[in-house]
Amino acid sequence: MTTRRLEQIRNFSIIAHIDHGKSTLADRLIERSGALSQREMAEQVLDSMDLERERGITIKAQSVSLDYTARDGRTYQLNFIDTPGHVDFSYEVSRSLYACEGALLLVDASQGVEAQSVANCYTAVEQGLEVLPVLNKIDLVSADPDRVVQQIEEIIGLDAADVLKISAKTGQGLDELLESLVQHFPPPMGDPDGPLKALIIDSWFNNYLGVVCLVRVFDGVVQPGEKIRVHSTGREFTVDQVGIFTPKQTSWQSLTAGRVGYVIAGIKSLDGAPVGDTLTHASQKTTVPLPGFKVVKPRVFAGVFPVSAEDYEDCREALAKLRLNDTALRYEPETSQALGFGFRCGFLGMLHMEIVQERLEREYGLNLITTAPTVVHEVLTTRAEVLEVHNPADLPPLGEIKEIREPIIQASILVPQEYLGNVIKLCEDKRGSQKSLQYVGNQIALEYEMPMSEVVLDFFDRLKSASRGFASFDYEFRRFQVASLVKLDILVNGEPVDALSTIVHRDLAQVRGRELTERLKSIIPRQMFEVAIQAAVGSRIIARSTIKALRKNVTAKCYGGDITRKKKLLEKQKAGKRRMKQVGKIEIPQDAFLAVLQVDQANK
Amino acid sequence: MFRFTASPPLALYVHLPWCVRKCPYCDFNSHALRGELPATAYVDALLADVLREIKHIHEREISSVFFGGGTPSLFPPAALARLLEGLQRYLRIAADCEITLEANPGSVDQARFEDFRSAGVNRLSIGVQSFQADSLHRLGRIHGPQAAVAAVETAHAAGFDNFNIDLMYGLPNQGRPAAVADITQAIALAPPHISHYQLTLEPNTAFAARPPALPEDDAIYAMQIDCQTRLAGAGYQHYEVSAYALRDRRCRHNLNYWSFGDYLGIGAGAHGKVTDLDKGKITRYEKLARPMAYIREATAGEAVAKSHQLSAQDAVLEFMMNALRLPEGVPRKLCTARTGLPWVCFEAAVDDARNRGWLDITADDRVRPTALGMRFLNNLLGCFLPPD
């Protein structure tokens, strides 16, 4: 077996904060390769999910292969593997980086380095990638390259003396960028004649083709007609098609070692091609698989319930399909007295949760109620058992609880000096304790330990408003820690609504209870009768609000010609009700189940 | 195919679309008048239009005629007289036919009212809306409080013993005392009929585009109760959601809508609903809305813009949308007679509504909303909407 350098291939990704211009740069690169017409370039092509384009973020890894003829006269295949920029998706980032030898660290020349880029950059360095810093938006008047170069050196510790300065918008510096990319990034290593080893970086379901796998071939060759095996399951498939994305799906005769491309092999079942798995030829019974990825643990849990019970099976199927290329997503069946049958889902963070919910609603046409997210708690029972509680409703009775432990995270925050006071106050409000404070240029790097439940609530939004959007933030799980926690129940006309229960710090129970009952009062529409909303800890009522009865619901006028329009009005009212959940006699809108999240905002 | 045993009574609606100017709350097919009102051409078009309606009549008499608008009182009385003569020629108008004309204060004088009366109009509906200068201004009305009072007095003087006053409540900036003052003033003018509506912001109106600040729901409801108490005290019977009348002075034309009778509609944007006994179907239709297009097409041949046949589900819901507006309800037999559908088509929804306490079937076999059902009529009607 002869491992060698595959000189004319470069595999790389771009690490960038949201808005720092990654998509624009990707567009320029695609344009330069001439793979798409001007018209096809009309939109940024890489963020292909509607949701991604709307939010201007990348959720899923995608790849593009470009041909580039360098100054040495040789044509290189550049494989760009996209990485998500948000902290929730750090797992996806490490997956994308695994398939690369190099990474461009793209930094906005006026905004400077952000905490998420720092974290992703460390991941790249840890994985042995060559990192090349690049300043973007150099054409802006507000660009301050010297300051940002200093930041890159101080915060990240990269030598930025020869930093590339580009404008992805105007194309300035693009040639130098492509040349440096070819010169600085090492070519992939691999044995094209060895037994096949291809890593599944991502996979998704296409209605016509079945499962499409995005792979990085490490050794060997894969081509249509061959029998391949998915290592973990041992199942065998015949390859129908291989190819690359230019970004158009373009079929090739084979994919050889070092390359990144797709494999379609008639895989129909949803779990047929798990991300992180290794593809080999069917004849290779003893090949040692590639290391794959570490399994990430979801940290945030929420109930996802179809509004109408008939959608339950569709919901299960949709979750299964999403899980296929989102291995971080967890789900297990859950039953709520208030909301019926649904699923307890585990997410990486809040954005991940929102994205999953939106995809379920948009791509699968489901009408859902999502409960407020909660973190995982550890409960030590009086029988000395340790339980992992994903749902406040599953908390054992008070008498059986010896202690409750909550997850603590370490938050890394970068903030300009003028907002330091606001941010410190916010961290203290959120029960944080300061671990370090360092001046880095004119920014401050803060480290805080704080309960994860506080971060889940609304920390990110409030950090943004406390710093006018300038602070950036990253976090990682540290440990479980004993805390004085209680379960806060919400009763609607005397009936507890399990889906509205939360676990809160004892000292905050009263305040949260009051905020929550007030918030629910403003969300739940008036009904034909008075509705009492109470907050309780155990059997003790700690707060109450009252929704007054609606006086009437009548259309004032209805004559001969009006009937069609008035009928539409009735239908609209009924459709409005359909989006609500009937709990006992009371109709509760979906937002109510997220009210826990909004209490703080409502009071700011 | 529905099975009818007898044709429903038949009314005639005539739409006269012109106004001096369009009010910001109005969602009817009305058009601000620019230049001369094309009365002759319009009457010709209406008469051509009604001729093509004859196929829907099936030997019935016309029990009521309603000239709605717009502001029909802007129409020259002579043109209206010619129209009524023409209608008499083509249709069988009942001897005791109720013939109503909508009039707006500010567009009437005694001579005009007398002329309308001699043309055959025997009932007026006067769009007073409020007696407060401030409210009238906010509603974009062209008249002031004096003109409102004068219009009613003129109606009396011109010999009308049957007329209605339209009033609105829940107006921008209106307090409870102002609403009560309006109803008190209306009662003092002794109209035989009062329509008392809550102002609603309808789509495609100036108010919908720039919504005025309206009183709180609870305050509006308090106005309603106060006004209803005064109306009842003065002998007005509450016979429909927003309609109140002295004995024998209920509006026959509107009652025909609410009891799911038939009506022909002529004029720009007019709606009609007709039952075909032999074919067993109910049809709704709508005439072209733009006045000039209507004149052109009606004169040339055909002014129907669209029409559709009711499904059984439509018929049940639309029947109830009308009939349940009446606190006294309707005989249970009317449900089947007017829709041509067997009782089984109503039964499940009626039972559901009864179980919720919104609907009654009385000892004399009437279907009637309860007091609660009356207050939550839209919820009650929700029972009759087809399931998802």
Side-chain angles (χ1 to χ4, degrees), chain A residues 526-529 548-567 569-571 573-574 577-578, chain B residues 27 169 197-198 202 218 221 224 242 254 257-258 263 271 284 314 317-318 321-322 325 358 374-379 385-386 388:
Chain A
R526 295 168 68 175
Q527 323 257 324
M528 289 173 66
F529 38 83
K548 283 193 293 178
L550 189 67
R551 300 309 190 117
K552 63 172 182 176
N553 178 19
V554 193
T555 305
K557 278 186 180 188
C558 184
Y559 296 115
D562 293 340
I563 199 92
T564 317
R565 268 209 1 240
K566 307 289 181 204
K567 212 158 87 179
L569 211 77
L570 288 175
E571 279 158 4
Q573 267 197 10
K574 184 155 179 177
K577 283 186 200 302
R578 220 175 292 137
Chain B
D27 67 331
Y169 66 99
Y197 304 106
Q198 181 183 335
E202 301 288 350
D218 286 2
Y221 187 69
Q224 179 186 324
S242 305
N254 288 339
Y257 294 139
W258 298 323
Y263 47 95
H271 292 249
R284 288 194 181 277
D314 289 338
L317 173 63
E318 292 179 17
M321 283 177 69
N322 283 292
R325 298 185 69 80
W358 297 341
M374 205 62 202
R375 269 208 292 145
F376 293 95
L377 186 54
N378 288 349
N379 300 64
L385 276 173
D388 310 331

Side-chain angles (χ1 to χ4, degrees), chain B residues 349-363:
Chain B
V350 166
D351 286 348
D352 180 21
R354 284 171 81 179
N355 288 334
R356 292 167 190 261
W358 297 341
L359 194 77
D360 263 347
I361 295 189
T362 62

Side-chain angles (χ1 to χ4, degrees), chain A residues 30 58 108 154 159 193 208 211 272 358 363 426 511 533 580:
Chain A
I30 294 167
T58 309
D108 186 315
E154 283 177 5
D159 177 8
D193 306 317
Y208 303 103
V211 176
E358 281 199 48
E363 293 169 30
L426 172 65
V511 178
I533 300 170
M580 295 206 239

Side-chain angles (χ1 to χ4, degrees), chain B residues 208-334:
Chain B
R210 286 174 300 281
L214 298 179
E216 298 281 319
D217 287 352
D218 286 2
I220 294 175
Y221 187 69
M223 291 177 196
Q224 179 186 324
I225 296 300
D226 280 356
C227 293
Q228 282 177 336
T229 308
R230 279 165 176 79
L231 283 160
Y236 291 89
Q237 292 169 342
H238 184 198
Y239 75 98
E240 188 263 352
V241 172
S242 305
Y244 304 80
L246 298 179
R247 261 176 70 82
D248 305 329
R249 288 300 189 213
R250 297 179 179 192
C251 177
R252 230 184 276 168
H253 187 82
N254 288 339
L255 276 172
N256 183 59
Y257 294 139
W258 298 323
S259 51
F260 214 56
D262 276 3
Y263 47 95
L264 308 175
I266 60 172
H271 292 249
K273 176 224 157 209
V274 288
T275 304
D276 188 326
L277 222 60
D278 304 329
K279 296 194 177 126
K281 61 179 191 181
I282 302 172
T283 306
R284 288 194 181 277
Y285 61 80
E286 194 179 328
K287 298 289 167 64
L288 289 167
R290 280 166 42 242
M292 288 311 158
Y294 171 78
I295 291 175
R296 196 174 59 239
E297 298 304 319
T299 315
E302 183 59 69
V304 174
K306 45 187 167 183
S307 78
H308 71 277
Q309 206 177 314
L310 298 196
S311 67
Q313 271 175 351
D314 289 338
V316 168
L317 173 63
E318 292 179 17
F319 179 89
M320 289 300 175
M321 283 177 69
N322 283 292
L324 297 179
R325 298 185 69 80
L326 307 172
E328 292 168 9
V330 290
R332 193 167 66 92
K333 281 200 179 106
L334 200 74

Side-chain angles (χ1 to χ4, degrees), chain A residues 305-318 341 343 364-368:
Chain A
F305 295 84
V307 171
S308 72
E310 304 98 78
D311 290 347
Y312 179 78
E313 276 310 317
D314 291 349
C315 187
R316 179 201 295 279
E317 211 168 289
F341 292 101
F343 298 91
Y364 298 92
L366 294 166
N367 190 2
L368 300 173

Side-chain angles (χ1 to χ4, degrees), chain B residues 16 18 37 39 42-43 46 71-77 79-80 112 116:
Chain B
L16 305 176
W18 291 282
L37 197 156
Y42 198 68
V43 169
L46 289 170
T71 305
S73 52
L74 278 183
F75 225 69
L80 197 83
R112 214 172 163 81
F116 284 135

Side-chain angles (χ1 to χ4, degrees), chain B residues 125-193:
Chain B
S125 177
I126 306 173
V128 168
Q129 315 313 354
S130 172
F131 291 101
Q132 317 282 323
D134 169 54
S135 290
L136 287 170
H137 178 71
R138 282 173 200 275
L139 288 174
R141 303 294 288 182
I142 56 167
H143 65 273
Q146 287 83 10
V149 173
V152 179
E153 284 169 349
T154 309
H156 277 299
F160 283 100
D161 61 351
N162 194 5
F163 63 89
N164 164 61
I165 289 181
D166 267 354
L167 273 188
M168 290 200 283
Y169 66 99
L171 305 178
N173 230 20
Q174 188 181 44
R176 224 159 127 181
V180 171
D182 269 350
I183 203 76
T184 308
Q185 169 79 76
I187 291 169
L189 293 167
H193 191 288

